[in-house]
Amino acid sequence: MKNMIGTAILTLTVAACGGGSSGSLATTTSSSTSTSTSTSVTVPGTPAISQIKAGDASLTINFNPPSSNGGAAITSYLATCVANGSARTANAVSSPVLISGLTNGTTYTCNVVATNSAGNSLASPSVSASPVASVVTGVDPAKLPVGDGKFTRSAPAVGYVYTCYSAVGSGGATSKGPWFNSDGVTWSSLSKISVQGAVSWVSSFAVTLGSNLGISGNGLPSTPTGKFPIASTDPAYAYDRNPNSIQTATIAWGLPANPTVAASPTCTGLGAIGVLLDGARLYNADDGANRDAVAWEVQDACQGHPERTGQYHHHSISSCLSQKDQAGQHSPLVGYIADGFGIYGNQGENGKAMTNADLDECHGHTHAITVNGVTVNQYHYHQTKEFPYTVGCFKGTPVTIH
């Protein structure tokens, strides 16, 4: 199947302004015996757009519901995107809402309105975004194969994660979300929801090159996260009830400064396998039950969430990184793996989108790349849109990281 890959994501933190108000109106009837009170229903407060995913001739709008429903259930949301005097709209009962039929490369100004029995809220603060043209590849983001069970303890294999452990626990998600397709074996990254909220952190992260590759930081990302624990009012709660809070988690690692390919690949463990350039840890694609964590677990708009000790981490490359793929070019560096090799975005030489078929059992390959300002012929890992997304095994000799 051929479809779009490399969906751009625009993550925004906007302050809600204006909106409907709620309250009670007391009315008094002249009578010598009684006074009656009634409560009126008002229009909802104002929703706020939290994220826009740019697709092929489409925009997927994620939004936070208003803090007040005006005293009556919100029955629908209307998203509107306008460009050059022409408007496109779409309705939904919850976030997200997809608006299609747009023109690629055109900037649209979008807002969201909430409706209850009393009427419409004020429109959310507007956010602008542009649909992007398709990049034709062999991976359909609306029909990604679910990676459940694609784990091996015997030997590495292309498209699998080579683990040093057996499945533990039952995974973080409690049930399949509606982004799993009815065929039972694929899921859609285009319709998956995110944990709501946009919480900012004071992030500390540094990379230094000496006798080793020094990685230091406080484990907090430089980009906003969702609100954790997941609130019972968040639509994500129906599928994933992550009860953990994000905590500082010190990083002080010395990775190999001049990594080399080992005689044989090494298995990965649960926990950190590396770090991304947003300062947050990277885990493999396992949710702890040998299920596809990227498909099952509901993460925030930057594809991260905390585990039981509070470590915020990703199971795939965050779309919120400032390092972005550019058409026709090799992807930039997006992080480091425990064996010292770098991990890059989805594009290889001449901008070709990478799939599992282009990479080895550890999810990488070797060719000339620029490392620390010098062009070298070096092994490196790549992101793919399909499971296992980042690293299948360690190609070099990993150091112990936590």
Side-chain angles (χ1 to χ4, degrees):
M1 300 180 186
K2 295 187 177 181
N3 211 320
M4 176 190 165
I5 287 295
T7 300
I9 299 180
L10 176 63
T11 302
L12 305 103
T13 303
V14 292
C17 62
S21 59
S22 62
S24 61
L25 174 66
T27 60
T28 303
T29 303
S30 298
S31 172
S32 59
T33 59
S34 65
T35 301
S36 63
T37 333
S38 63
T39 302
S40 64
V41 173
T42 66
V43 299
T46 309
I49 295 175
S50 59
Q51 175 198 63
I52 295 183
K53 290 183 179 180
D56 187 11
S58 67
L59 293 172
T60 300
I61 302 173
N62 285 268
F63 56 88
N64 295 327
S67 57
S68 170
N69 64 6
I74 294 174
T75 55
S76 67
Y77 293 91
L78 175 69
T80 302
C81 290
V82 179
N84 302 321
S86 177
R88 298 284 295 185
T89 63
N91 290 94
V93 295
S94 64
S95 177
V97 57
L98 172 69
I99 296 186
S100 57
L102 306 179
T103 302
N104 289 327
T106 298
T107 299
Y108 288 83
T109 301
C110 305
N111 62 49
V112 177
V113 170
T115 300
N116 68 5
S117 59
N120 299 330
S121 72
L122 294 180
S124 69
S126 296
V127 173
S128 296
S130 302
V132 294
S134 296
V135 177
V136 178
T137 72
V139 179
D140 183 350
K143 293 183 179 180
L144 297 173
V146 178
D148 292 2
K150 290 188 176 181
F151 299 87
T152 172
R153 295 189 66 203
S154 57
V158 172
Y160 282 69
V161 176
Y162 183 27
T163 69
C164 306
Y165 56 88
S166 300
V168 295
S170 58
T174 56
S175 62
K176 284 185 175 181
W179 54 91
F180 282 86
N181 295 320
S182 59
D183 59 17
V185 294
T186 65
W187 69 285
S188 172
S189 63
L190 302 179
S191 60
K192 187 181 178 186
I193 66 174
S194 301
V195 174
Q196 294 178 346
V199 181
S200 296
W201 303 88
V202 178
S203 176
S204 170
F205 180 69
V207 178
T208 57
L209 182 62
S211 58
N212 60 26
L213 184 67
I215 309 291
S216 61
N218 61 6
L220 299 176
S222 56
T223 55
T225 71
K227 292 182 180 179
F228 294 95
I230 298 177
S232 60
T233 54
D234 190 323
Y237 189 79
Y239 314 105
D240 190 329
R241 300 184 178 185
N242 190 329
N244 305 310
S245 300
I246 297 172
Q247 305 291 332
T248 298
T250 300
I251 293 174
W253 305 338
L255 308 184
N258 297 294
T260 57
V261 172
S264 58
T266 306
C267 56
T268 63
L270 282 172
I273 61 170
V275 66
L276 298 187
L277 297 185
D278 63 355
R281 288 167 170 81
L282 177 66
Y283 285 22
N284 70 19
D286 190 5
D287 73 345
N290 283 177
R291 299 186 308 186
D292 184 337
V294 178
W296 277 86
E297 296 179 331
V298 186
Q299 296 138 353
D300 62 24
C302 293
Q303 299 82 54
H305 62 172
E307 44 87 90
R308 59 185 178 82
T309 68
Q311 284 189 5
Y312 180 83
H313 62 279
H314 306 285
H315 292 277
S316 58
I317 303 303
S318 170
S319 60
C320 298
L321 294 177
S322 60
Q323 296 78 20
K324 303 291 186 184
D325 288 352
Q326 301 295 325
Q329 300 178 22
H330 190 279
S331 293
L333 178 77
V334 294
Y336 295 96
I337 304 305
D339 57 8
F341 287 122
I343 182 166
Y344 293 74
N346 183 233
Q347 296 174 190
E349 293 178 287
N350 301 315
K352 179 186 177 183
M354 296 288 96
T355 68
N356 288 352
D358 300 303
L359 304 171
D360 66 13
E361 71 276 15
C362 288
H363 223 57
H365 61 185
T366 301
H367 62 73
I369 53 174
T370 301
V371 179
N372 300 317
V374 179
T375 300
V376 294
N377 200 52
Q378 187 178 87
Y379 184 87
H380 54 284
Y381 301 97
H382 272 284
Q383 168 198 16
T384 58
K385 304 301 182 182
E386 59 190 324
F387 188 90
Y389 310 110
T390 59
V391 172
C393 52
F394 295 118
K395 193 69 170 183
T397 303
V399 300
T400 301
I401 61 176
H402 301 285

